[in-house]
Amino acid sequence: MQKLKLKATEIIEHAEPNLSLIGLFGVLGYPVYYLIWTYLYPQPYESLGFRIFCAFLSIPWLVYRELPKRLKELFPIYFFLSLFIVMPYFFSFMMLKNEWSLVWAMSFMAGTFLLTLIIFDWVIILTMTGTGFMAAYATVFFLDGRVSFAYFVPEYIPIFLFSISGGIIANHKRQLAHQSRISLMRSLSGSIAHEMRNPLSAITNAMSTVQAIIPGKPGSGEEKGKFDLSYSGLINIHEVIDESLSTIKRGNKIIDSLLATLQDGIMDINNFKKLSARNTIQTAISTYGYSDINDRKLVIENSSETFDFLGDKDLFIYVLFNLIKNALHYKNKPDFRIEITTKRDSPNNCIRVRDNGPGIPPGKRDVIFDRFYTYGKSGGNGLGLSFCRRVVESFGGSIICNSEEGHWTEFVISLPAYASKPAKDLKKEILQQKKILIVDDQISNRLLLAKYASEWNCPSDQAENGTQALEMLSKTRYDLIFMDFEMPALDGDHTVARLRSSQNIEPSLAPHYMQVPVIGITALPPSEALPRATRCGMNEVISKPIKKQDIKRLFERHFFSETSSISVDQDTILKGCRILLVDDNATSRKFMSMVMQHYGCMTDQAENGQIALKHLEKQDYDLILMDMEMPVMNGLETAVAIRKGDCFRRFRNFRTIPIIALTGNTDKESIEQVKKAGMNQLLGKPVFRDELVATISMWIRNIARTKETDLPAESVPAIEENFREAVEREKVLDHSIIYSLKEIGGDELIISLFEVYKSDSKKIIEEIDQAAATGNLRQFDQLMHSLKGSSGSIGANRLFVLSRYLNDFSHRGEWPDTAEWAPVLNSTFSRTIEAMEGILKNLKR
């Protein structure tokens, strides 16, 4: 099935440049030829209805470029079905109906020849032609009871065969040339990537080396006097370096995306964020690499009608770079200028890039977006505008070219508004590739969160406590975690602390879990919850009961907006570590050595794998950084030798020492080779300082197994003066929670949960009374926590508020300071059950 889908996509791509023209021919040609064969040169059996039907089927071909993304995904199926009807079936039917008359025999031959121009695959051409003829034969036989060959002459057969084979051969040669060019580009893509990344890596190393040896960016006025450099000058240097490194990162991403395009890969939508049109345009204009400083004055920006859209900032900046570059090719024209404007509209907003260059002829305005097609200049590879279209279409938008020869050219980028349905659908498509973990000991809370997530097509897993959660996290990658604070076995604080320290986490997942957003969910007051969340490494806290708006807000913040990651104290982690740097490039070794020494590491260097093995035999190391491409003994060979351990007599850590691969090739094949050789992780060149330090820190932290730190409890709020009145002011049931549970499972779920709650809560309260009578505060605390959690989850609001209040004392190791608590607890439970019985009575009617 996958092969058929790829073949269909390939054929659509081949036919796409001519689709609009073919569609126009179908929409106009079928009714026009009805007039010709009816009035000008009359032919029998003409059917206006049949021809209008075929013209109608051709409309989607005509408007293919304007089709929404979802319809484009289904278009290959529609294309083959409609093509089958309007060409081989239609022409075969009319030829057989007219008993092989000369007019229709020639028409059949012309239709078949046209089919060979649209579809290059000879197997599909012969299959469609043969199937269409047989289907038409069966139709005529069914309608007339016979099929006549009255005007058939044997000479038709060699003519038909010559026409079909000639068209196939001609088209096949053209397709072979096209495929050869693509195959060559693909085969060279790995080498291209390596060669493109090498200079980027060198520049990155140089800038990061400078950043490593100069003082850090000043953070306060107190630090001013520590530096010989001026305070503002030092900040400027760091800002220039940071901006330059950011530009290189963007270039690295573009290389990956262009290579994916060459390999017919799909655009990665996982990094799509909410972007401002104005900010993105201004960034593109200010960071574009102008060959002449005066060229910047030629670009005029007017984004007064700015808007937000969903997309990848780096990729979209590249789109603007490409359009600016193409326009600047004609900058020597008198009074030349480029205007970039924005306009809010419904349903799509627009960005227009217009120049007053020589313009583009009408016949070229569509084909300039085809791969390997260039117009008006030499030296290009024809990938730029093709890639731009793929980027914009991945955002759910479109890009077209308008022009007037001799006067101007304008590219119009239409993008769905951020709040529009297409953008929402795209978010759901992105979220479908994410996965969240819900950790809570109360099933109703887990069900409610899972239900809200499923409304956004976001899959989720559930865990009942911290121990179970850590086991799941150690094996599976989750992109967002909801963590309850108070749970049996292992509470949320300690679970997150262990997660952030990478304890018992799969090494390949550990870097991810140092940064993944963790949302605390609790009924605790903010004054207690927020400090606990900060200490253990949670990102933020939301209060129970959780609402649908909370989930939307969290998805927006952590998946679709630029949020800062959790910082880690790298100095403490790396200080005193010994690292072996293996790379044939002296500059790379120098850069990594200086960065590591800046963080307190000790380093040794090796030019190739053979020298690295000798170092390992002489000295113990905590980690190895190793280049893949080296003379004498490359990275893969060295890693295999290390893991075998046959070449060592003294070194005993060969099976467990972390080996980080450094390479310019980050494709799937390279990643598999790295894993197979026994390396632990791959970093793509150019390697950026923050990424390098974070990766090494994670592996060192993982080895060290940082011990869990106990978290001190916070004090609870003061007791109300009039205890009973304060409790009775609270509503008995929270109907919003009950309604949410009903949305999930209907009346049956409410009935089931209420019955279980009544039975369990009655038993818990009896045990609470017993624990109070025997003075067992520890048991009292556990039981009160259980009652608090189940009451909050089921919507028993008054009992939840009361049990939370009492649990605050027991959690501190104190008994409640009022003697009224026991009778108030029992009376509140009775009132709660009475209210629930009323709801159950109505549901069971």
Side-chain angles (χ1 to χ4, degrees):
M1 191 66 186
Q2 185 67 21
K3 287 184 178 179
L4 287 174
K5 187 176 180 181
L6 289 173
K7 175 60 72 174
T9 304
E10 188 179 2
I11 289 173
I12 293 296
E13 185 180 276
H14 171 81
E16 186 178 348
N18 300 313
L19 266 181
S20 298
L21 184 61
I22 299 168
L24 182 64
F25 177 80
V27 171
L28 299 179
Y30 282 97
V32 166
Y33 267 89
Y34 171 79
L35 299 176
I36 293 173
W37 297 140
T38 302
Y39 300 107
L40 192 58
Y41 303 107
Q43 300 294 320
Y45 307 115
E46 275 298 323
S47 169
L48 179 60
F50 193 12
R51 286 186 173 274
I52 292 296
F53 176 68
C54 290
F56 178 78
L57 290 178
S58 304
I59 294 175
W61 304 2
L62 180 63
V63 297
Y64 171 73
R65 295 187 189 280
E66 284 71 41
L67 290 177
K69 185 178 179 181
R70 289 186 178 274
L71 291 182
K72 279 188 177 179
E73 291 174 356
L74 299 173
F75 185 79
I77 299 173
Y78 175 83
F79 177 72
F80 280 109
L81 290 175
S82 58
L83 184 64
F84 173 80
I85 294 171
V86 303
M87 286 198 178
Y89 178 78
F90 174 83
F91 286 104
S92 296
F93 175 81
M94 294 302 293
M95 182 177 66
L96 293 174
K97 192 73 176 169
N98 284 274
E99 303 178 353
W100 289 80
S101 69
L102 179 62
V103 168
W104 278 106
M106 297 294 290
S107 298
F108 173 81
M109 185 173 67
T112 306
F113 185 78
L114 184 59
L115 184 65
T116 64
L117 295 179
I118 299 172
I119 300 178
F120 60 85
D121 191 292
W122 65 271
V123 175
I124 296 177
I125 293 171
L126 294 179
T127 301
M128 288 187 73
T129 302
T131 306
F133 183 85
M134 289 187 288
Y137 188 98
T139 306
V140 174
F141 186 84
F142 176 77
L143 294 174
D144 300 342
R146 67 185 184 87
V147 178
S148 174
F149 286 63
Y151 302 108
F152 174 78
V153 291
E155 288 84 352
Y156 285 167
I157 296 176
I159 295 174
F160 287 169
L161 290 176
F162 179 80
S163 174
I164 294 172
S165 59
I168 290 175
I169 291 170
N171 200 24
H172 188 63
K173 282 187 175 181
R174 186 162 62 92
Q175 182 63 19
L176 278 178
H178 180 73
Q179 289 297 326
S180 297
R181 191 172 184 182
I182 292 177
S183 298
L184 179 62
M185 294 290 283
R186 286 175 178 170
S187 65
L188 292 174
S189 61
S191 300
I192 292 170
H194 189 73
E195 294 305 320
M196 290 174 73
R197 288 192 175 107
N198 274 341
L200 289 179
S201 183
I203 297 169
T204 303
N205 292 348
M207 288 191 293
S208 297
T209 301
V210 172
Q211 200 169 37
I213 61 177
I214 65 174
K217 184 187 292 187
S220 65
E222 183 182 345
E223 297 173 325
K224 281 187 187 182
K226 297 181 182 179
F227 310 125
D228 294 331
L229 234 62
S230 72
Y231 181 77
S232 59
L234 187 60
I235 290 179
N236 289 338
I237 290 173
H238 276 283
E239 286 178 349
V240 169
I241 294 175
D242 289 341
E243 178 61 35
S244 300
L245 290 173
S246 175
T247 302
I248 294 174
K249 284 182 181 180
R250 184 184 305 135
N252 211 39
K253 181 190 286 188
I254 298 306
I255 291 172
D256 291 336
S257 299
L258 281 168
L259 291 177
T261 301
L262 282 173
Q263 301 291 343
D264 283 334
I266 60 174
M267 285 289 173
D268 182 10
I269 64 175
N270 284 316
N271 294 317
F272 284 14
K273 306 291 183 184
K274 180 180 181 180
L275 303 176
S276 162
R278 175 188 291 136
N279 293 343
T280 308
I281 291 170
Q282 289 175 348
T283 301
I285 294 174
S286 62
T287 58
Y288 180 80
Y290 300 97
S291 58
D292 187 321
I293 193 171
N294 293 317
D295 290 352
R296 170 63 184 87
K297 300 175 183 178
L298 301 176
V299 184
I300 303 166
E301 178 254 339
N302 179 14
S303 55
S304 56
E305 289 190 45
T306 189
F307 55 85
D308 294 327
F309 65 96
L310 185 65
D312 186 299
K313 185 174 184 178
D314 293 330
L315 293 180
F316 194 70
I317 285 175
Y318 173 81
V319 170
L320 296 175
F321 277 2
N322 198 276
L323 298 179
I324 292 171
K325 181 193 72 174
N326 288 344
L328 284 174
H329 183 75
Y330 305 103
K331 65 181 181 180
N332 293 325
K333 182 182 176 182
D335 299 323
F336 179 84
R337 66 186 181 280
I338 303 170
E339 297 179 59
I340 303 179
T341 58
T342 58
K343 184 179 181 182
R344 287 194 301 267
D345 206 347
S346 180
N348 291 329
N349 299 312
C350 293
I351 296 175
R352 299 176 184 272
V353 182
R354 184 184 180 110
D355 66 76
N356 58 339
I360 299 174
K364 306 294 184 182
R365 293 171 197 167
D366 283 337
V367 295
I368 57 174
F369 293 103
D370 296 337
R371 281 197 297 182
F372 307 122
Y373 182 87
T374 60
Y375 173 77
K377 55 184 182 295
S378 59
N381 55 28
L383 289 176
L385 287 176
S386 170
F387 182 71
C388 290
R389 184 172 67 180
R390 291 192 63 167
V391 170
V392 174
E393 287 181 350
S394 72
F395 297 172
S398 63
I399 178 171
I400 61 172
C401 175
N402 299 320
S403 184
E404 182 180 340
E405 282 191 87
H407 294 87
W408 54 268
T409 299
E410 179 182 72
F411 288 90
V412 182
I413 301 171
S414 298
L415 296 166
Y418 188 75
S420 66
K421 186 180 183 302
K424 186 175 181 181
D425 291 341
L426 185 53
K427 287 183 191 177
K428 288 184 176 181
E429 187 179 343
I430 295 169
L431 289 171
Q432 200 168 17
Q433 301 177 32
K434 306 289 185 182
K435 199 166 190 179
I436 66 174
L437 179 63
I438 302 165
V439 190
D440 198 312
D441 58 329
Q442 297 299 321
I443 186 171
S444 54
N445 281 339
R446 299 199 302 270
L447 288 174
L448 193 61
L449 266 169
K451 196 256 183 184
Y452 290 155
S454 67
E455 291 178 358
W456 285 89
N457 288 357
C458 187
S460 63
D461 288 337
Q462 301 176 25
E464 297 179 5
N465 54 58
T467 303
Q468 185 182 8
L470 285 174
E471 184 178 349
M472 297 170 71
L473 288 161
S474 67
K475 300 174 183 176
T476 307
R477 178 189 171 102
Y478 293 96
D479 302 288
L480 183 68
I481 302 169
F482 290 94
M483 183 71 65
D484 188 24
F485 274 72
E486 308 294 334
M487 294 181 292
L490 186 65
D491 64 22
D493 307 59
H494 291 75
T495 303
V496 177
R498 289 186 182 183
L499 180 68
R500 295 305 191 196
S501 64
S502 305
Q503 291 190 45
N504 301 319
I505 299 297
E506 169 69 30
S508 61
L509 293 172
H512 172 71
Y513 283 128
M514 291 176 69
Q515 309 294 340
V516 73
V518 180
I519 312 302
I521 49 177
T522 182
L524 295 170
S527 59
E528 180 177 351
L530 291 175
R532 287 176 60 178
T534 302
R535 283 196 301 272
C536 70
M538 293 182 183
N539 292 66
E540 61 180 294
V541 176
I542 57 173
S543 299
K544 295 181 180 179
I546 298 163
K547 300 177 178 62
K548 190 181 294 188
Q549 302 93 297
D550 293 332
I551 302 303
K552 181 181 178 181
R553 176 178 57 81
L554 290 168
F555 281 175
E556 284 289 336
R557 177 177 298 176
H558 295 288
F559 289 140
F560 301 117
S561 63
E562 301 294 335
T563 54
S564 59
S565 58
I566 297 173
S567 60
V568 181
D569 186 3
Q570 316 289 7
D571 300 67
T572 304
I573 299 169
L574 297 180
K575 193 171 183 179
C577 295
R578 184 173 287 276
I579 296 173
L580 179 60
L581 308 175
V582 189
D583 197 321
D584 62 323
N585 188 304
T587 303
S588 293
R589 295 198 308 271
K590 184 177 181 181
F591 152 65
M592 289 187 289
S593 178
M594 294 186 73
V595 170
M596 293 298 96
Q597 289 171 11
H598 177 76
Y599 285 93
C601 296
M602 295 173 285
T603 62
D604 288 323
Q605 302 180 23
E607 297 176 12
N608 55 59
Q610 196 173 82
I611 298 174
L613 295 177
K614 293 178 181 178
H615 276 292
L616 289 170
E617 183 64 13
K618 294 177 183 178
Q619 174 70 51
D620 287 329
Y621 295 94
D622 297 294
L623 183 139
I624 302 170
L625 284 169
M626 186 151 55
D627 186 34
M628 295 275 283
E629 304 290 335
M630 295 181 293
V632 184
M633 193 173 189
N634 66 33
L636 294 175
E637 294 167 342
T638 309
V640 170
I642 292 171
R643 293 307 186 208
K644 283 183 178 179
D646 296 340
C647 56
F648 303 121
R649 297 184 63 184
R650 185 205 65 84
F651 183 54
R652 291 288 177 267
N653 198 25
F654 53 84
R655 289 192 183 91
T656 57
I657 186 169
I659 306 175
I660 311 300
L662 306 173
T663 178
N665 297 326
T666 55
D667 53 85
K668 289 183 180 179
E669 185 179 348
S670 298
I671 294 171
E672 288 301 319
Q673 287 178 340
V674 163
K675 289 182 179 178
K676 191 174 179 180
M679 295 180 169
N680 299 86
Q681 190 174 338
L682 182 147
L683 290 179
K685 290 184 177 181
V687 183
F688 297 93
R689 184 193 63 177
D690 292 345
E691 182 184 18
L692 179 66
V693 172
T695 300
I696 295 174
S697 300
M698 182 276 297
W699 285 103
I700 300 299
R701 182 192 286 269
N702 194 267
I703 294 170
R705 301 294 187 195
T706 305
K707 293 182 179 180
E708 177 184 344
T709 304
D710 291 330
L711 298 170
E714 292 289 310
S715 60
V716 297
I719 188 171
E720 295 263 359
E721 289 185 5
N722 194 328
F723 177 71
R724 186 181 293 271
E725 286 184 11
V727 172
E728 291 180 352
R729 281 199 297 269
E730 297 290 336
K731 57 185 179 182
V732 178
L733 298 179
D734 188 333
H735 289 276
S736 65
I737 296 178
I738 296 171
Y739 179 76
S740 297
L741 292 171
K742 187 176 180 181
E743 276 190 317
I744 297 173
D747 294 347
E748 294 79 8
L749 179 63
I750 298 296
I751 294 170
S752 173
L753 289 176
F754 275 16
E755 294 293 350
V756 171
Y757 175 79
K758 288 194 300 178
S759 173
D760 289 351
S761 298
K762 182 179 179 182
K763 183 179 179 181
I764 290 173
I765 288 179
E766 289 172 354
E767 292 177 352
I768 286 173
D769 290 337
Q770 186 179 356
T774 58
N776 191 337
L777 182 59
R778 182 176 180 181
Q779 185 184 15
F780 178 88
D781 180 61
Q782 292 174 346
L783 293 167
M784 198 60 72
H785 170 71
S786 298
L787 181 63
K788 175 183 69 175
S790 58
S791 299
S793 302
I794 204 72
N797 179 68
R798 183 179 293 180
L799 195 56
F800 164 71
V801 172
L802 174 58
S803 55
R804 181 181 65 182
Y805 181 79
L806 298 175
N807 190 223
D808 285 341
F809 286 93
S810 63
H811 199 60
R812 284 190 319 189
E814 302 174 5
W815 288 98
D817 62 351
T818 173
E820 285 191 89
W821 73 263
V824 170
L825 179 65
N826 282 276
S827 63
T828 301
F829 174 68
S830 299
R831 182 70 186 88
T832 300
I833 298 304
E834 182 183 338
M836 286 184 171
E837 291 288 357
I839 292 177
L840 289 173
K841 187 176 180 181
N842 292 329
L843 293 177
K844 292 178 179 179
R845 282 179 181 174

